[in-house]
Amino acid sequence: MTRSKISFVVVIMLTMFLSMSVCAKASNTEKPKELTKVVFAEAVRGEGWLPIYLAQELGYFKDEGIDPKFVTFRDGPVALMSLLNGDAQFCIIGFEPVLMAFDKGEESKVILTTLDSQPYTFVSRSGLKDIKDFKGKVVFGGMAGSAPYYFVKTALRNAGIDPDKEVTFANLNYGAELVAMSKGDLDGGYVRATRFVQVDEIGGNVLVDATDPAQHKKIYGSELFQATVVQVSDEYIKEHPEVVQGFTNAVYKAIKWQNAHSDAEVAKVVSPFFPGRNIDAPLIKVLRRCLSEDGQFSEEGYRAVVDFCIANGVIKKDIPMSASVDQTFIKKAKEHIK
């Protein structure tokens, strides 16, 4: 190769090197994409909304450009007000308070469900072995108007007890009910089905177990009851559909992940969301009896919720599924995320 050709090649190589250096420098100075900050108002911190917590721990919200702040309230009606007042963009809640507000003209949309049925139990303290013996007793059902509250009232009513006249409802925080039972301060009531071990430890008795399909149907009229949901205001859906889709994509990815991984793996990932609680494989195994496998509502699962609410006086009239549920986001996520 002649000296002139060698010089030409050297010049070309130097030019390429400098160009690559400039591009690399420009790339290194690019600012990371700014995440959209949103507030998730939780009715309670409960494992029934498992895929939402998995989505956070697995980084799926960040992948979708969302930076969530979880704000935990005492119960559904309070969390609901946070959403309706515009203080939160997403509400992690039971369906009953949503329908109650809808019935009063405060409309919003539910975009997905995390459970297909309710993981609820009615538990009694040691010494009480029949729900028919609860006349004059003290029971726990969460806040008035909540999903556990109506579960307890229905269980009592099915046993021939008037829940409005023949029992006293205790004012306790979720998680305190078993301690109160062990001390004799509480006779029984709602306990999450995932706390079977703790129920045994205090010598309690499970009188109604909604994770059993037959008992679930006796309470709710169906083996399906899709009432553990995520709610978004109509205004936010209209103004920020891309954020709502990103949220839904993240949760759907988490649902697919939970379906594909073992109970122990799921428990390990989600445990940081429940400090002080033992989230283990047996707990996840119980929860799987109720988990939704795709986040979608069925007509039967929705109808069971509405009929239950009408029967309990939560709402006065029927609310069509098309009015309170928007499945376009979960269907789009299911279509595009394989």
Side-chain angles (χ1 to χ4, degrees):
M1 183 179 294
T2 65
R3 183 176 294 178
S4 61
K5 288 184 176 179
I6 292 174
S7 298
F8 178 77
V9 171
V10 170
V11 171
I12 292 297
M13 292 179 67
L14 284 171
T15 302
M16 291 176 63
F17 176 79
L18 289 171
S19 298
M20 292 172 64
S21 298
V22 170
C23 290
K25 185 176 181 181
S27 177
N28 290 335
T29 58
E30 284 181 3
K31 293 183 179 179
K33 183 179 178 182
E34 187 173 347
L35 301 179
T36 300
K37 295 184 181 296
V38 295
V39 174
F40 294 174
E42 302 177 277
V44 293
R45 177 63 55 85
E47 59 268 23
W49 291 275
L50 177 69
I52 297 171
Y53 306 132
L54 286 174
Q56 176 68 358
E57 290 299 304
L58 293 167
Y60 293 156
F61 286 126
K62 185 177 180 180
D63 291 345
E64 294 292 336
I66 297 172
D67 179 16
K69 177 183 179 181
F70 289 80
V71 179
T72 308
F73 293 84
R74 185 186 171 198
D75 224 319
V78 184
L80 174 63
M81 289 309 301
S82 178
L83 180 97
L84 296 177
N85 291 337
D87 297 324
Q89 289 69 52
F90 296 86
C91 192
I92 300 167
I93 193 171
F95 213 153
E96 290 89 340
V98 178
L99 293 173
M100 188 187 305
F102 200 103
D103 199 45
K104 297 177 181 177
E106 298 171 327
E107 298 184 8
S108 58
K109 292 294 187 295
V110 167
I111 59 171
L112 60 85
T113 181
T114 54
L115 297 181
D116 278 338
S117 57
Q118 294 287 48
Y120 290 177
T121 63
F122 188 107
V123 171
S124 69
R125 61 171 171 77
S126 178
L128 280 172
K129 296 186 178 181
D130 196 324
I131 197 170
K132 294 179 181 178
D133 296 330
F134 265 76
K135 285 186 179 181
K137 304 300 183 184
V138 180
V139 300
F140 172 69
M143 182 178 286
S146 67
Y149 177 77
Y150 289 111
F151 164 76
V152 169
K153 291 187 74 172
T154 302
L156 290 167
R157 195 179 295 115
N158 287 351
I161 297 171
D162 186 339
D164 296 318
K165 297 178 180 179
E166 295 180 318
V167 299
T168 300
F169 278 87
N171 184 18
L172 295 170
N173 290 326
Y174 289 111
E177 64 274 7
L178 291 181
V179 174
M181 286 185 212
S182 68
K183 293 180 177 180
D185 297 331
L186 181 70
D187 296 306
Y190 162 77
V191 178
R192 293 189 305 271
T194 50
R195 302 186 73 194
F196 281 129
V197 172
Q198 290 77 20
V199 171
D200 286 339
E201 288 174 351
I202 68 161
N205 302 294
V206 178
L207 305 183
V208 180
D209 178 6
T211 67
D212 173 63
Q215 294 185 57
H216 190 281
K217 190 171 184 177
K218 187 176 180 180
I219 293 287
Y220 295 110
S222 170
E223 293 181 8
L224 293 173
F225 193 84
Q226 293 163 324
T228 306
V229 301
V230 177
Q231 174 197 15
V232 186
S233 69
D234 291 347
E235 182 180 3
Y236 195 79
I237 288 175
K238 182 179 179 180
E239 294 180 355
H240 302 282
E242 73 289 347
V243 180
V244 180
Q245 188 62 61
F247 172 93
T248 309
N249 290 348
V251 176
Y252 183 68
K253 290 176 189 175
I255 290 174
K256 287 177 64 66
W257 189 93
Q258 78 186 13
N259 292 345
H261 288 76
S262 69
D263 296 338
E265 290 171 315
V266 172
K268 182 178 180 180
V269 170
V270 83
S271 286
F273 255 89
F274 298 90
R277 286 192 54 200
N278 181 29
I279 305 296
D280 56 12
L283 182 151
I284 300 299
K285 183 178 181 180
V286 171
L287 190 61
R288 281 197 196 271
R289 302 175 192 172
C290 306
L291 284 171
S292 171
E293 294 190 352
D294 63 5
Q296 287 191 239
F297 291 88
S298 66
E299 287 287 348
E300 180 184 349
Y302 175 79
R303 176 49 48 193
V305 177
V306 172
D307 289 347
F308 181 80
C309 287
I310 292 174
N312 280 279
V314 180
I315 57 177
K316 297 177 182 178
K317 57 185 178 181
D318 186 24
I319 299 173
M321 183 171 167
S322 59
S324 60
V325 176
D326 184 347
Q327 296 210 85
T328 57
F329 298 101
I330 190 65
K331 287 181 177 179
K332 187 174 181 179
K334 189 175 182 180
E335 180 181 347
H336 291 94
I337 300 171
K338 302 300 181 182

